[in-house]
Amino acid sequence: MTAIVTKSGLELHTSGAFAMLRRISAVVGNTLREAGRAKLFYGLLGAAVMLLGFSLVLSDLALVDQKARLVQSFGMAVVPLVCVGTAVLMGALLLHKEIDKKTLYAILPKPIARGEFIAGKLLGLCALLVIELVALALVWWAVLSMRGGQMTGPIVRGLALHVIELVLVTSIAVFFSALTRPVLSGLLTAGVFVVGRVTYVITDLLAARKGLFVEVPAMRAVGKALVVAIPDLSTFAVADPILQGWDVPWSYVASASMYGLCWALAFAVGAVLLFQRRDFT
Amino acid sequence: MRRLASGAGDTLFSPAHTTPVQVCPTMNDANSTPLSPDDAILSLDGLAKTFRVGFWGRPVQALRGVSLTMRRGESLGYLGPNGSGKTTSIKCIVGLIQASAGKVQLFGGDPGEAPRRAKVGYLPESPYFYDYLTPIEVMEYVGKLYGMSARDRAERSHKLLGQVGLDQAAKRPLRGFSKGMLQRVGIAQSLLADPELLIWDEPLSGLDPMGRKEVRDIMAALRADGKSLFFSSHVLSDIETLCDSVCILDRGQAVAQGRLSDLLRSEELESEAVAEIPSGDNRPAAIATLAALPGVVLTDLPSGVRLVLPTAQVPALMAKLLELGGFLRELNQRRDSLEELFLRKAVKRDQDGGAA
């Protein structure tokens, strides 16, 4: 490791992997603190807790042996949806706030690479989303226990898969955040999420012998481009199979995680490349 | 562990403790030969920046080939009216903006390399920090980016915040801070890593008179300590007081640069004289004779005859006064102020149609 020693004997460690990790962790810590203070975050968290609480009321309307199942279904829908909403909205604002408030003007001239800054912001938001997911899962578990249900292995593995999906959606949001303004980046991220969840439908339509993709050749090219350019987020949507009693084996979680993390890395690299080209006037 | 050092000796802003280190010569790069004190620590070579604005991307040239060199220990004032390109060029130096053309060199190399950036303390114009942090936390965050130890971070933060007068407010969130207080936080964070080169964009703006004096004193102390200062300001008297050299920027071009003493040289300038002429019938004729000297502007005042004339005409004036029976009571060489120099350059550029 190389240390610079200043005129007054101060040692500055700016080179090497350890120094890089220290810089990234400083940005992660600050991002976590900043995002954790956002009213938006607490608004979404509060809404999710209320919805989970509402499922307790709603389950009273269900048949006796279906009460736990209703709470289970409700949680499987609410927890991922709120977490993805948080990732889209806060990811879209992540870089914009730094630029708009000019806080990054005092940070980027320091010995930190722009890529390290993006990595720190991304990981900081991911950390916050994991905290949100765990908090909501605990509330969900409590509600589920009150109705005699339990957190099964497949549900836990489903939540683990959802963490990977959140990392991927956050990377997409940061990619668009580095490209354009927050409203547009939020819309684009939401668009990719929606299309990503139904990519398998597009694949099926492309394989069909009739339909739009056969009748309009130009649309066929668009369909093929979407399948290639947008990650298949249905890989992480395991709520229905779990509710139908299917298992989610660890081997599936591992392969889906690899798939999701590769896509997340690609979007993060894209975000860094875009961010490196930006002028901060 | 290989250590790179920037010199030896105590500084005004040195931490309370110093670690015994093996000091090797100042870096150009890891395997460099020593730099002499005359070597450039900052150089701009034909720096140009064109922004694309509006829907159609209309080009706007903010910088048009600015070149300058700054040497170690120098204090350089960067001067220019609003929109002249001062902040744009500073942002190009610190890496916030990428130049369209030209080259920036810091300490003889690529300004993007972390070891070089670590030797620069940058203060943005109207600095903003995360308003939920306290000054101590800002310093802690910045110190981590420089790879400073926890002990050094704590000691330097405490010391510097005291020096900028924020020791009482060190643990208050920044959201309640005035512009002047934020400026002080900005100054403290720029000094945290004991940088060799300070690049300060409008460091005196937003400060009350006492604050301005304190910052000027800090700058003077840093200068005395051998730090290199590169700062922009609209306040010409500050630049005149604090700088060895200036670069005047107008409409994206450097219109004058060099050492202040050279730029404000007196040979092109004028002298001011007060002469006594005997009263009597001949006085009007004597005054007319003096007024006829080339380039003389004469004012007949009760206290004497005041003449402003080219310095080269002073011997002729004295000879005439002897002939007329008068004498010279006062003679001062008029020294151009930085303000006059600045205005002269701006007017000249306007007369040249902005193509100086």
Side-chain angles (χ1 to χ4, degrees):
Chain A
M1 190 196 294
T2 305
I4 297 170
V5 180
T6 69
K7 196 177 171 185
S8 58
L10 206 62
E11 284 193 39
L12 309 176
H13 298 271
T14 56
S15 304
F18 183 66
M20 183 183 77
L21 288 176
R22 284 215 323 190
R23 288 192 292 268
I24 292 175
S25 69
V27 180
V28 169
N30 190 52
T31 305
L32 193 56
R33 191 168 170 183
E34 184 182 22
R37 294 176 55 84
K39 289 174 185 164
L40 177 69
F41 172 70
Y42 291 103
L44 288 164
L45 196 66
V49 171
M50 280 166 59
L51 280 169
L52 289 171
F54 181 65
S55 73
L56 201 62
V57 178
L58 207 64
S59 64
D60 276 338
L61 303 175
L63 297 172
V64 176
D65 61 340
Q66 294 295 311
K67 287 183 190 298
R69 189 176 163 78
L70 192 141
V71 173
Q72 212 175 45
S73 308
F74 218 82
M76 291 292 266
V78 166
V79 174
L81 192 69
V82 169
C83 289
V84 164
T86 310
V88 171
L89 294 173
M90 294 193 73
L93 289 169
L94 197 66
L95 295 178
H96 173 75
K97 274 170 78 176
E98 290 271 3
I99 298 165
D100 191 47
K101 292 189 172 181
K102 298 186 177 178
T103 44
L104 112 180
Y105 288 38
I107 301 301
L108 289 184
K110 306 282 184 285
I112 179 171
R114 289 192 183 192
E116 292 167 7
F117 183 76
I118 289 281
K121 297 298 287 182
L122 181 61
L123 293 174
L125 184 53
C126 287
L128 184 84
L129 291 167
V130 170
I131 292 169
E132 184 185 32
L133 183 74
V134 169
L136 289 178
L138 289 174
V139 173
W140 183 26
W141 188 13
V143 174
L144 202 56
S145 304
M146 290 166 79
R147 286 288 176 254
Q150 55 184 341
M151 275 284 179
T152 60
I155 291 179
V156 173
R157 289 192 282 279
L159 288 175
L161 267 182
H162 187 59
V163 169
I164 304 298
E165 185 182 34
L166 285 177
V167 171
L168 175 49
V169 173
T170 308
S171 303
I172 296 168
V174 172
F175 172 80
F176 287 122
S177 180
L179 182 69
T180 183
R181 300 189 70 77
V183 174
L184 193 55
S185 64
L187 288 172
L188 288 168
T189 308
V192 170
F193 176 73
V194 170
V195 175
R197 276 293 179 105
V198 296
T199 308
Y200 66 95
V201 177
I202 300 172
T203 310
D204 288 350
L205 286 172
L206 284 168
R209 288 171 181 270
K210 57 181 181 179
L212 180 70
F213 289 149
V214 176
E215 289 157 15
V216 187
M219 286 305 293
R220 189 172 183 79
V222 172
K224 280 184 176 173
L226 284 175
V227 170
V228 172
I230 291 180
D232 182 2
L233 296 176
S234 65
T235 309
F236 310 101
V238 290
D240 284 346
I242 290 170
L243 289 171
Q244 287 162 20
W246 290 60
D247 190 15
V248 179
W250 280 114
S251 57
Y252 178 81
V253 174
S255 63
S257 298
M258 282 300 292
Y259 173 80
L261 291 176
C262 286
W263 268 105
L265 187 65
F267 276 106
V269 169
V272 170
L273 293 175
L274 288 171
F275 196 65
Q276 275 174 339
R277 292 168 56 90
R278 276 190 83 151
D279 283 337
F280 300 105
T281 52
Chain B
M1 181 186 290
R2 188 176 63 217
R3 291 187 170 108
L4 303 171
S6 56
D10 292 322
T11 70
L12 176 73
F13 297 97
S14 62
H17 85 284
T18 54
T19 313
V21 291
Q22 183 192 342
V23 175
C24 68
T26 296
M27 54 169 277
N28 187 359
D29 58 47
N31 304 309
S32 70
T33 52
L35 288 172
S36 79
D38 284 341
D39 280 321
I41 56 169
L42 169 66
S43 65
L44 310 183
D45 183 12
L47 192 69
K49 180 64 189 177
T50 302
F51 291 110
R52 300 271 164 190
V53 297
F55 185 78
W56 302 108
R58 182 172 57 85
V60 173
Q61 279 189 297
L63 293 175
R64 306 163 188 236
V66 176
S67 299
L68 67 85
T69 304
M70 186 180 171
R71 298 191 179 279
R72 178 162 285 115
E74 192 175 338
S75 178
L76 191 144
Y78 209 44
L79 193 61
N82 291 333
S84 58
K86 298 190 299 291
T87 297
T88 301
S89 35
I90 287 176
K91 284 181 175 176
C92 285
I93 295 167
V94 299
L96 287 170
I97 289 177
Q98 289 166 41
S100 308
K103 194 172 168 188
V104 178
Q105 283 203 312
L106 269 179
F107 301 98
D110 180 3
E113 289 176 9
R116 287 195 173 84
R117 280 209 225 175
K119 301 171 107 189
V120 176
Y122 170 60
L123 170 70
E125 187 182 8
S126 307
Y128 294 91
F129 302 98
Y130 306 95
D131 61 3
Y132 49 88
L133 297 182
T134 64
I136 283 279
E137 288 166 342
V138 170
M139 301 291 269
E140 184 70 11
Y141 183 30
V142 169
K144 285 179 184 170
L145 299 180
Y146 279 104
M148 291 166 66
S149 70
R151 184 179 163 191
D152 283 344
R153 290 200 300 266
E155 285 180 356
R156 294 278 298 168
S157 302
H158 179 73
K159 186 169 189 170
L160 289 167
L161 289 173
Q163 278 169 346
V164 297
L166 284 178
D167 38 358
Q168 298 298 314
K171 292 182 178 170
R172 276 170 39 200
L174 298 183
R175 79 173 68 85
F177 276 32
S178 66
K179 195 180 171 192
M181 288 169 87
L182 287 174
Q183 189 82 339
R184 289 161 194 251
V185 177
I187 288 170
Q189 62 84 33
S190 76
L191 294 170
L192 186 65
D194 189 24
E196 273 187 58
L197 168 63
L198 292 158
I199 299 178
W200 287 2
D201 197 358
E202 302 282 355
L204 295 155
S205 71
L207 297 173
D208 55 29
M210 187 57 81
R212 293 174 73 86
K213 186 191 175 302
E214 284 169 10
V215 173
R216 271 200 304 267
D217 289 348
I218 289 173
M219 291 170 85
L222 289 165
R223 209 182 138 190
D225 193 37
K227 302 279 187 207
S228 309
L229 275 170
F230 179 101
F231 73 99
S232 67
S233 178
H234 286 109
V235 185
L236 303 179
S237 61
D238 291 336
I239 284 191
E240 210 163 0
T241 311
L242 292 163
C243 295
D244 315 308
S245 49
V246 292
C247 176
I248 300 177
L249 213 61
D250 190 25
R251 279 165 271 183
Q253 282 187 312
V255 291
Q257 56 183 296
R259 297 190 69 79
L260 260 178
S261 51
D262 294 338
L263 288 171
L264 304 180
R265 65 190 183 278
S266 55
E267 62 264 24
E268 287 180 0
L269 304 178
E270 296 167 320
S271 292
E272 186 178 331
V274 179
E276 286 289 345
I277 297 170
S279 56
D281 294 343
N282 293 335
R283 185 178 160 85
I287 287 175
T289 307
L290 292 178
L293 285 168
V296 166
V297 177
L298 185 148
T299 318
D300 192 6
L301 299 170
S303 56
V305 177
R306 181 176 172 272
L307 303 108
V308 176
L309 71 167
T311 303
Q313 289 296 320
V314 171
L317 170 71
M318 292 172 81
K320 282 282 175 203
L321 279 172
L322 279 173
E323 276 176 28
L324 298 166
F327 65 93
L328 201 59
R329 208 173 66 202
E330 282 178 34
L331 178 64
N332 294 305
Q333 195 158 51
R334 287 187 82 199
R335 187 173 178 271
D336 207 356
S337 71
L338 186 56
E339 186 171 355
E340 284 165 326
L341 173 72
F342 178 62
L343 291 172
R344 229 170 350 106
K345 292 289 179 185
V347 169
K348 184 174 184 301
R349 243 176 91 74
D350 283 339
Q351 286 169 349
D352 294 347

